Amino acid sequence: MGRRSKEINSIAIAKLVGVSRSTVSKVINNYPNISEETRARVTKVVADYGYFPNLSARILAGKRTETLGFFHFAHGHFSEDFLVSSMISGFVEHAASFGYHILSYIVREPETEKTKRMVREVFHQQRIDGGIILGARNHEPLVEELISEGFALGIFDQNLPGKEEPNRIVVNLDDERAASGALRYLYDLGHRKIGILNGDTRRSAGAAKQAGFLAAAEEKGIEIRPEWFLYTDFSEASGYSSMCKFLSSGMPLPTAFAAANDTVAFGAMKAFAEKGLQIPEDVSIVGIDDHPMARYQRPALTTYRYDFLAVMRRLIELIVKRIEDPDSVDSSRREVFSPVFIERDSCKKVDAVS
Amino acid sequence: MGRRSKEINSIAIAKLVGVSRSTVSKVINNYPNISEETRARVTKVVADYGYFPNLSARILAGKRTETLGFFHFAHGHFSEDFLVSSMISGFVEHAASFGYHILSYIVREPETEKTKRMVREVFHQQRIDGGIILGARNHEPLVEELISEGFALGIFDQNLPGKEEPNRIVVNLDDERAASGALRYLYDLGHRKIGILNGDTRRSAGAAKQAGFLAAAEEKGIEIRPEWFLYTDFSEASGYSSMCKFLSSGMPLPTAFAAANDTVAFGAMKAFAEKGLQIPEDVSIVGIDDHPMARYQRPALTTYRYDFLAVMRRLIELIVKRIEDPDSVDSSRREVFSPVFIERDSCKKVDAVS
DNA sequence: CTGAAAGCGCTTACAG
DNA sequence: CTGAAAGCGCTTACAG
């Protein structure tokens, strides 16, 4: 009928071998002070009967769950899912190499009581040993609450420069460098009239990218005109609608745009296409991420590549270390990864007339 | 220090309210026969103290884990990861709507003792209530073993026509219909010299697609010449190398190819491009899947869309039903979903000369 | 090197 | 409607 019969337990194994459950347990857990002969006999019976110690009983007796929660804060839109979900495979495999299991969650409305409860429950139930947070805003109350409750958290993309943020492991990509690099690249191609498709500045990445755009503009002595500074929330839809609105405003067009991420650039490119504007003939555009789709755009999008996989690997490594030996990792660890420039076909050289 | 202090437990709650642990438990589990007054008092204290019953203790006492294992059999190549991982988000959310958690695994070498042990352990440890299997071959021994051990399994894409396969829920896409449809489409455009990029016939989808290609060819009275029948394992790399080999063989080119999936088509398109062949001017190609990248190809790939998300949703629904009430779902349930044709730019009309 | 016993935190018949 | 007690299956000091 598909119902499972009972599994064999440690008492049965002990009886079979003719030792105590303590001894079985010690063999299973590879403890010292067991004679080779006993160890061998227990091991054999365990293998013969296909015995697997019950996980819940082990956890209840004080063992770790060896499970990590992966919380993807998605804030209602699906824009990043494609990118994020394409990271999951590598993520799961890397965790597995440490012997850890991955429980995945999508967090759509972190401010909702229902969502908060769901997430907190996962931790408080002791379903996981620690969590990985992706896409949360800076100082997301839910995240701060979990940290204050003492849970082990690894966060991707969160930091407010100058602010102390204790008791968390944070791994970031160098957003400021990517953004300023993108702007400088356009400048070096001769562009002086440059527009920005800015991101969500409530998120660390958004704030850092804005800082990068502005710093490079200032460095090169070019002014970003307010009407060329467009706002998005990092989603393709917002990139599209922002650009549509701008294009139908009748304002003069800059010769190039730097976008806060590739997804936003995709949206803008769609808007350009609908208005009959050719890229890069009529307008250049550069993104950030090297989204899997970037090279399939027409034209292929020039961008900064973020090695998300490497970053996530590192985050897992650090969180596992922290879980297994809390003192081995600073209570407030921070690491930054650098992006790599990928030149493709979406930008052209232009006469540098200011 | 990041170490967690102990959580409050049901004894403490009971003491606080002035009732027994049994009563606390009954309130938590929403059992009847509790006075409204008691229920309210317990509920309040539970909320005030942020009490979450320990999961392991509950499972040990006989409750479900409310967790599903998602096992993606990847067979060593990464070809499908992109597609598969793009399904995970929707998958996780849908499971959440049933109150289920998702534990994800990538299974690379199912024949390895190490892998087998890892997978079986997840079930035997009682980490999950049931599993979802994706990408496994027909009669994959590991899967058959799990079924024979009595675990609840939902399988995507597995069936051998005519064979009885008990004790499993199987959900399939209508591969035969997609394949025969693709071939008929080419025929209707006037193509008579048609090549096939076949898939891995050890997998249900591969066998069914081959049957579909062949059936439609027979129906239309066209012959698939052996040299135009190319073999792949569903991966982009194999599509590419198969096509390269064919193109450098000096054999005459058919006017069109039908590919067992989009990924294989992508590989073939790359090979065409490298040989300077234009699509669809020199050769037409049609895929199956509507891979997220299909519309970004140059030219955009004509294909059959598989609604993977809908299929996975249904699979989850069925497996959850089965777990919660084993008699509510046939021990050998089977459902098939139909693909939808998506015409894009990779095929052209041709004079029908046999 | 081995084992008896306590303990982890819940649920569930059962009795009242 | 409520509670005392057994039981789930393990691990871990502790004693020997």
Side-chain angles (χ1 to χ4, degrees), chain A residues 13-20 23-24 27 34-49:
Chain A
I13 296 288
K15 205 162 290 173
L16 247 18
V17 182
V19 293
S20 71
T23 301
V24 172
V27 171
I34 298 285
S35 73
E36 267 322 308
E37 195 252 326
T38 306
R39 188 179 300 275
R41 274 165 53 218
V42 173
T43 307
K44 177 156 179 10
V45 174
V46 164
D48 288 353
Y49 286 78

Side-chain angles (χ1 to χ4, degrees), chain A residues 70 87 91 132 134 308-316:
Chain A
F70 174 72
M87 293 160 53
F91 182 49
I132 306 267
L134 206 98
F308 291 103
L309 223 63
V311 175
M312 292 309 284
R313 281 197 208 299
R314 180 63 179 154
L315 194 48
I316 293 181

Side-chain angles (χ1 to χ4, degrees), chain B residues 179-180 183 196 209-219 222 224 229:
Chain B
S180 60
L183 202 126
I196 302 293
K209 284 168 180 174
Q210 171 172 302
F213 289 137
L214 266 28
E218 170 143 16
E219 170 198 324
I222 67 179
I224 305 289
F229 195 93

Side-chain angles (χ1 to χ4, degrees), chain B residues 10 21 25 29 31 51 58:
Chain B
S10 70
R21 303 149 71 199
S25 179
N29 290 293
Y31 288 165
Y51 167 63
R58 304 191 78 189

